[in-house]
Structure formats: C-alpha cells, structure tokens
Amino acid sequence: MLQTQWQAFIAQFVALSRRQRLDSVEILSGTPPEQAAVALIERTAQARLCCPACHSRHLHRHGQANDLQRYRCVPCGKTFNALTGTPLAHLRHKALWLQYADCLLSSDSVRKAAQQLGIHRNTSFRWRHRFLALAKNDRPRCLHGITEADELYLLESEKGARHLRRPARRRGGSARQRGISSEQVCILVARDRTGQTVDFVTGKGQLTKQQLLYCLPPVIDRDILLVTDGHAAYSAFARETGISHQAVVNLRAGIRVRGAVHVQNVNAYHSRLRGWLRIFHGVATRYLPNYLGWRWILDARRILSAETLLKATLGEFPHLTVT
C-alpha cells in the first residue's frame, strides 16, 4: 500500500464506532468479527457446562450445528449447546449480537438499532427483551444505612396489545380520573446512600402496606433508617416490621429536607428514569420490569461493554463489590 493510501486509510479510523474499532482489533489478531460472539459464548459456557435436563457433567462432544459445539449427556442422552436454556436460545445472526449489545448500552430505539444492524424491527424488539431477561436481575442483594424509598406513577400502557381492555387513547395521554387511580401503575424505588437501588412494579393504584411487606423485607437490613415522604403505608410498614422510619417530606408545609435526612437521591433517580423513558415514546406496562432493569444497568455502570452484557444475558454477572 502506498504511503498516501495508508494515510487516507488511517484517517478514516476517527469515524469508526467503538464496536467497529473492536472488530478491527479482532481482525488484526486473526479472529474474524463474525466469530467473536460465538467464541465468547463458548468460553462463558465452559465454566458451568452441564446437561440442562439432568445437570450431569458427564458429557461428550456431539458435532456442531449453527456455529456452536453440541454436546451429548451420557446419563440421559439429551443433546444441547452453550445456548440451551438461556434467553438467547434459538435466535439467529449471532455475529450481530455484540453490536446489538452496544445499541442497548447506547439506549437506541428498536428502529434505530434495526437500521444500524440491517435487521427487521421485530427482530430488534425480540432481541431487546431476550438480552434483558437475565441482565435485569443483576441487582444489589441488600440495602444498608439510610435508605430512601418513594413511589413513581406511570400511566398504564397497553402498547402493542392486540386487544385493549379499555377504550383507546392517544399515546402519552392523560388519565380520565384525577389523582392516583387504577389507570396508573405504581413503581416503588428504594435507594441507599451508596447508590444501590432496587425497584418493583407493585401494581395499579396507590401503594399499600401489603405491597411494601412483600417487596422490601428481603432486600433491606433490619437496622436501616427508612426515609420516606408522608405516605401512610410507609409508617404502617415500619411499625409492623420494627424498622426505624422518618417521614421528612410534607409538601403542604413546604418541607422537603431535614438536614441529612431527605429523599432527594431517590427523587433524582425518578427524574433520570422518567427522562430516559421518553426516548421510547411509551413503554408497555407488561415490559416495565425489563426497562427498569435496563435503566439500572446504565445508571449503576456495572455493565460497560457489549461483552459484559452478553455474559450477563447468559447468566454470568460481574462481581458485586457492594452487597
């Protein structure tokens, strides 16, 4: 290659995306980019490879199919591959999965991701929720210290449903009833001062003590200080569980902060969540847990690369430093 051609070639690297640069490194190292995802899948599966039917580790190689090594279980005779039993089983175009994971980390819409990868929008939508099926579960096991809790309400959405259970309305419309009603879905968010966050879709209408008793005890320490607004359900929950509780917000009295005791962190998380959801022009209520998990992936910055996200989709999560 002539020097002028080389300089023109190098100048084009500035316009490459992160994924394209990584693919270039793979080419230089001798690994074709279309094999990168398959190689990562095989490496991830090796650590815990066992029969999905009887969980035996007594296996034999049993040929190859769809670019993946197949295995045969000696005790039960079942055959399987590295994707069997995972959310990515039976999906095609493995060579595009790392690029699609990059699209998820960039919060791209279904159509934008489909256009970038040259796939159908229905394929892009299917991949989105397959990739988030397990990755959304990468959450802190327990909240400590001062823990703020507050609820967020979103208008129920049946986006994508073939048969509506209510009269149709314009997307992003308003509820017919004033205040909080069964037309709205409650999202409970609890967040400690280290930034560890858990959230739950509790159902339609106002938050209740029973919902708090179901959601919070498994994910909070008994010696935490629970800080909330003046909602009566939190006080009733704290009395029944014996958890220390302070209600610091009284909007009627204009009180939002009492020294270091406030709910500003969880309210800021609510604000970031609402702003991020606007990208998608409406989210179907039945998929809300997936989107909440997706938002946590981005907000916590525990998954920063397409490779880590693909591993999480297969069940291998990054090590938790805070539990």
Side-chain angles (χ1 to χ4, degrees), residues 39-49 310-311 314-316:
L40 180 61
I41 291 167
E42 296 284 16
R43 289 197 304 269
T44 304
Q46 285 300 320
R48 62 186 194 287
L49 193 63
L310 181 57
K311 289 181 179 180
L314 299 174
E316 182 180 304

Side-chain angles (χ1 to χ4, degrees), residues 117-128:
L117 273 63
I119 58 178
H120 194 273
R121 63 179 181 276
N122 291 351
T123 301
S124 177
F125 180 80
R126 186 182 306 111
W127 285 9
R128 170 184 288 182

Side-chain angles (χ1 to χ4, degrees), residues 194-263:
T194 67
Q196 301 302 299
T197 306
V198 293
D199 46 50
F200 309 89
V201 180
T202 61
K204 299 179 184 179
Q206 285 280 5
L207 182 68
T208 66
K209 181 189 73 172
Q210 287 72 23
Q211 292 168 342
L212 289 171
L213 288 170
Y214 177 78
C215 297
L216 289 185
V219 296
I220 58 175
D221 269 349
R222 299 290 296 180
D223 59 349
I224 68 164
L225 173 61
L226 182 64
V227 182
T228 69
D229 59 13
H231 197 301
Y234 294 113
S235 300
F237 165 76
R239 286 194 302 269
E240 185 159 331
T241 56
I243 291 175
S244 299
H245 172 243
Q246 285 196 28
V248 298
V249 178
N250 187 333
L251 296 179
R252 292 183 179 180
I255 300 174
R256 294 179 179 271
V257 178
R258 290 179 180 172
V261 181
H262 56 77
V263 291

Side-chain angles (χ1 to χ4, degrees), residues 113 148 200 224 289 292 294 321:
E148 304 172 18
F200 309 89
I224 68 164
L292 294 177
W294 186 3
T321 56

Side-chain angles (χ1 to χ4, degrees), residues 84-284:
T84 302
T86 72
L88 300 181
H90 309 298
L91 295 184
R92 301 180 180 180
H93 309 300
K94 301 177 186 63
L96 299 176
W97 287 356
L98 288 175
Q99 296 179 52
Y100 190 79
D102 277 326
C103 292
L104 285 177
L105 295 176
S106 300
S107 299
D108 290 340
S109 67
V110 165
R111 284 176 170 80
K112 182 177 180 180
Q115 184 179 10
Q116 288 184 7
L117 273 63
I119 58 178
H120 194 273
R121 63 179 181 276
N122 291 351
T123 301
S124 177
F125 180 80
R126 186 182 306 111
W127 285 9
R128 170 184 288 182
H129 294 290
R130 293 285 191 94
F131 268 79
L132 297 173
L134 290 183
K136 68 181 180 183
N137 298 325
D138 182 33
R139 296 301 186 92
R141 297 181 179 87
C142 196
L143 305 183
H144 308 279
I146 299 177
T147 298
E148 304 172 18
D150 198 8
E151 67 276 13
L152 166 72
Y153 293 93
L154 298 177
L155 198 61
E156 183 191 18
S157 172
E158 296 186 37
K159 181 180 179 181
R162 293 180 181 275
H163 304 287
L164 299 182
R165 294 171 293 178
R166 53 163 174 76
R169 63 164 181 263
R170 286 184 177 273
R171 186 178 303 164
S174 57
R176 291 176 297 175
Q177 304 178 54
R178 297 180 62 184
I180 305 302
S181 68
S182 59
E183 296 179 72
Q184 294 164 315
V185 178
C186 177
I187 300 172
L188 171 66
V189 179
R191 182 177 174 92
D192 66 20
R193 293 297 169 84
T194 67
Q196 301 302 299
T197 306
V198 293
D199 46 50
F200 309 89
V201 180
T202 61
K204 299 179 184 179
Q206 285 280 5
L207 182 68
T208 66
K209 181 189 73 172
Q210 287 72 23
Q211 292 168 342
L212 289 171
L213 288 170
Y214 177 78
C215 297
L216 289 185
V219 296
I220 58 175
D221 269 349
R222 299 290 296 180
D223 59 349
I224 68 164
L225 173 61
L226 182 64
V227 182
T228 69
D229 59 13
H231 197 301
Y234 294 113
S235 300
F237 165 76
R239 286 194 302 269
E240 185 159 331
T241 56
I243 291 175
S244 299
H245 172 243
Q246 285 196 28
V248 298
V249 178
N250 187 333
L251 296 179
R252 292 183 179 180
I255 300 174
R256 294 179 179 271
V257 178
R258 290 179 180 172
V261 181
H262 56 77
V263 291
Q264 302 288 46
N265 288 328
V266 71
N267 285 340
Y269 188 83
H270 284 176
S271 179
R272 294 195 297 274
L273 175 61
R274 282 187 184 276
W276 178 75
L277 288 175
R278 292 193 191 101
I279 298 172
F280 308 108
H281 304 289
V283 172

